[in-house]
Amino acid sequence: MYKIVIIDDEPIIVEGLTRTMPWDKWECLVAGTAYDGIEGQKLIRNVKPNLVITDISMPGMNGLNMIAGLKAEFPDLEISILTGFREFEYAQKAIQLGVTRLILKPSSMKEIEEAVSTMVGNLKKKNVHTDAEECDVDVNGASSFIVKNALKYIQENYTRKLTLGEVAEKTYVSQWYLSKLLNKHIGKSFSDILNQTRINVARDLLKNPSMRIGDIAEEVGFMDMAHFSRVFKKFAGCSANEYRNKHS
């Protein structure tokens, strides 16, 4: 049996799809349901379904980021999304990320059935077995989307204590997978990307002789001056003081 997960913040939709759809018709079994994106993400990693039907306008989540995370981490996963958004650009991006069907709310049972039929047909064409797709890192549109969002998040938050786990949560992938993606696409670890971002900013700030080096270290996210000194020398090839003397 193919495993399907249903995610929506409206219980009536989740219960309706779970109980009224003729799942046996497509050799499907509802393996779990969730009522928000974070819960749904955890459920998917736990049960590893073959198909997902999900809303993308639930509170506290970015639907496109969640879709990108799922398609990058589980590339054979078939996804149909339920949405009230009618903007063409939004729908186009969802399709680019690998969504099979975009179903506008309110939707008919016929539309849902057609989506499930198409998803199951795609799985059979790809010869995907009923035990799901966690596989190695692949360079595709979804993974590129995730890396872009991860780098943007790092750039916007480098001044505070930032962890791989937080960035992974914001991009809807596991820490392990985000680490692999960054190494594959950027050729660097999360730690090196974060520190390189901080040191690049520190270099610019060091050109201002009125700023104390200790203040610069703190401003770019280092609470420990000794740590800042070690990292600066690693990435700049000289001490912060030497860099200032050359460039101020």
Side-chain angles (χ1 to χ4, degrees), residues 134-170:
E134 188 170 357
C135 61
D136 201 1
V137 173
D138 185 25
V139 179
N140 56 37
S143 61
S144 297
F145 185 82
I146 291 164
V147 170
K148 179 181 177 181
N149 286 335
L151 295 177
K152 182 173 183 288
Y153 192 80
I154 291 170
Q155 189 65 45
E156 292 173 348
N157 295 277
Y158 69 87
T159 59
R160 59 182 181 79
K161 185 176 181 180
L162 192 62
T163 65
L164 175 64
E166 180 182 340
V167 182
E169 181 180 331
K170 296 298 181 181

Side-chain angles (χ1 to χ4, degrees), residues 27-48:
E27 303 173 66
C28 288
L29 170 70
V30 177
T33 60
Y35 301 96
D36 64 63
I38 299 300
E39 182 187 352
Q41 183 186 20
K42 292 177 181 176
L43 177 65
I44 288 166
R45 289 212 182 93
N46 184 42
V47 305
K48 294 182 172 56

Side-chain angles (χ1 to χ4, degrees), residues 99-120:
V99 168
T100 302
R101 284 291 180 91
L102 184 75
I103 307 167
L104 295 177
K105 291 181 176 179
S107 55
S108 67
M109 293 304 290
K110 182 179 180 182
E111 289 176 295
I112 303 290
E113 290 187 12
E114 287 177 350
V116 173
S117 180
T118 299
M119 290 192 290
V120 171

Side-chain angles (χ1 to χ4, degrees), residues 14 21 26 29 51-52 88 102 107 113 124 152 171 205-206 209 226:
V14 174
M21 290 283 285
W26 302 288
L29 170 70
L51 309 93
V52 171
F88 175 75
L102 184 75
S107 55
E113 290 187 12
K124 290 182 175 179
K152 182 173 183 288
T171 52
L205 295 177
L206 283 165

